[in-house]
Every structure is written in structure tokens, then in C-alpha cells.
Amino acid sequence: MIDPQTGALQLRDGLIVDSNLSLRRFLRSSVGLGATVAYRSLEHSIFYVSEQDQHKRLLYITLYFRCWKLEQLNISLSDLAVSKNSYDYDAEFQIHKAWLEASLGTALEGENACRYAYFSGRWGSAEVAYDPRSDTTSILIKYGKNLAQSRNSP
């Protein structure tokens, strides 16, 4: 679960994933050693890891580093109750939203081209969104500016 005060997510081996996580510390952890590299350059690095939450639900986590510092996370939940053969994006959205609300409280909701629910804290923001292009729902955690600031800035 995500700490509502810091936006931190604790992974196996005690690795704390938050705005203070450096690429170096991540790569030296057992989580980092087992991660799949999606992309690496001098400025950007992207890694995939899988993790189980306290309810034994599988989480697929993508970590985005920029200039050696964690910038954002993307979390997709695996839930056996939703079959991909008969995909129900509303059910998938509700599963992700409920998971995030268990940590961060009630979401602010909105509709645009994609349905979304969002949370904001001093540490940054979290958003649940359905992407019709990829036909997936996921949680996006951005460290730094909170969502209201990032939507209002040029």
C-alpha cells in the first residue's frame, strides 16, 4: 500500500519506493537486481518489476527514472475476478480505484476522454485512468508536483 503522507510504496526486501529513491540504490537492491530493463539512456531509465501486495494480489510496476532519480511509477493490478477474455474496463477501473483508496482515502473523480480518479499530496499525485488506446487501466504515481499544480502549469 502507499503511504498517504509520503507517497512511499514498500517492496520486498524493505525497499522504499518514493521520491528519494535513486537509480543507484534501486539497482543495488534485490528488487533492482531482478528487474527487467525496458529502456536505458544517460537521462532516462525504465524498469519492470512484479510484486505481491499484502492480499497476495500481483502488482506489475514500471519505475521511471530521470537523471538518476525516481520520477514516477505505473502500477497495474492483476485480479482473477476480471477475465481479459471478456474485459470490463469499468470493473478494472473500480479495482484499481479501490486499491488506491485503501491507501489514500476518497478520490476526486472526473471525466474527460478517459475516465480517471486522482489523489494529491505534498509528495506528488496519484491517478487511476483507463487508456482506450491500450485498453488498460493503471495507477500512475508522479513524485514532485501534485496533480493540481501539474495540470495548471505551462
Side-chain angles (χ1 to χ4, degrees), residues 64-76:
Y64 298 86
F65 290 87
R66 182 172 185 192
C67 297
W68 304 91
K69 186 176 178 185
L70 183 65
E71 185 174 63
Q72 67 184 41
L73 297 175
N74 186 298
I75 303 171
S76 295

Side-chain angles (χ1 to χ4, degrees), residues 2-151:
I2 299 166
D3 184 307
Q5 301 302 314
T6 64
L9 177 67
Q10 184 170 341
L11 301 183
R12 65 184 174 273
D13 90 348
L15 180 66
I16 303 294
V17 176
D18 65 5
S19 62
N20 296 315
L21 180 63
S22 69
L23 179 59
R24 179 181 214 158
R25 194 167 83 223
F26 172 72
L27 291 174
R28 290 184 174 180
S29 71
S30 65
V31 175
L33 291 171
T36 301
V37 178
Y39 179 80
R40 288 245 4 223
S41 72
L42 289 176
E43 263 191 51
H44 301 276
S45 298
I46 303 170
F47 297 91
Y48 300 133
V49 299
S50 58
E51 185 77 19
Q52 282 190 335
D53 68 8
Q54 70 272 23
H55 303 293
K56 304 295 183 203
R57 177 179 286 152
L58 190 59
L59 310 176
Y60 299 103
I61 303 170
T62 306
L63 296 95
Y64 298 86
F65 290 87
R66 182 172 185 192
C67 297
W68 304 91
K69 186 176 178 185
L70 183 65
E71 185 174 63
Q72 67 184 41
L73 297 175
N74 186 298
I75 303 171
S76 295
L77 305 175
S78 168
D79 195 299
L80 299 176
V82 177
S83 167
K84 293 295 182 184
N85 294 333
S86 58
Y87 188 74
D88 181 348
Y89 80 88
D90 191 54
E92 190 80 7
F93 179 88
Q94 292 302 327
I95 289 167
H96 283 75
K97 181 180 162 200
W99 188 88
L100 203 51
E101 283 184 333
S103 295
L104 301 180
T106 304
L108 302 169
E109 292 191 60
E111 297 272 345
N112 56 13
C114 305
R115 185 171 176 193
Y116 65 91
Y118 62 92
F119 307 80
S120 231
R122 292 176 45 217
W123 48 267
S125 63
E127 181 174 1
V128 180
Y130 169 72
D131 177 11
R133 290 183 307 164
S134 63
D135 196 26
T136 58
T137 299
S138 62
I139 297 166
L140 178 64
I141 299 173
K142 293 182 180 180
Y143 295 106
K145 291 182 181 179
N146 67 36
L147 195 60
Q149 291 171 326
S150 64
R151 289 190 175 177

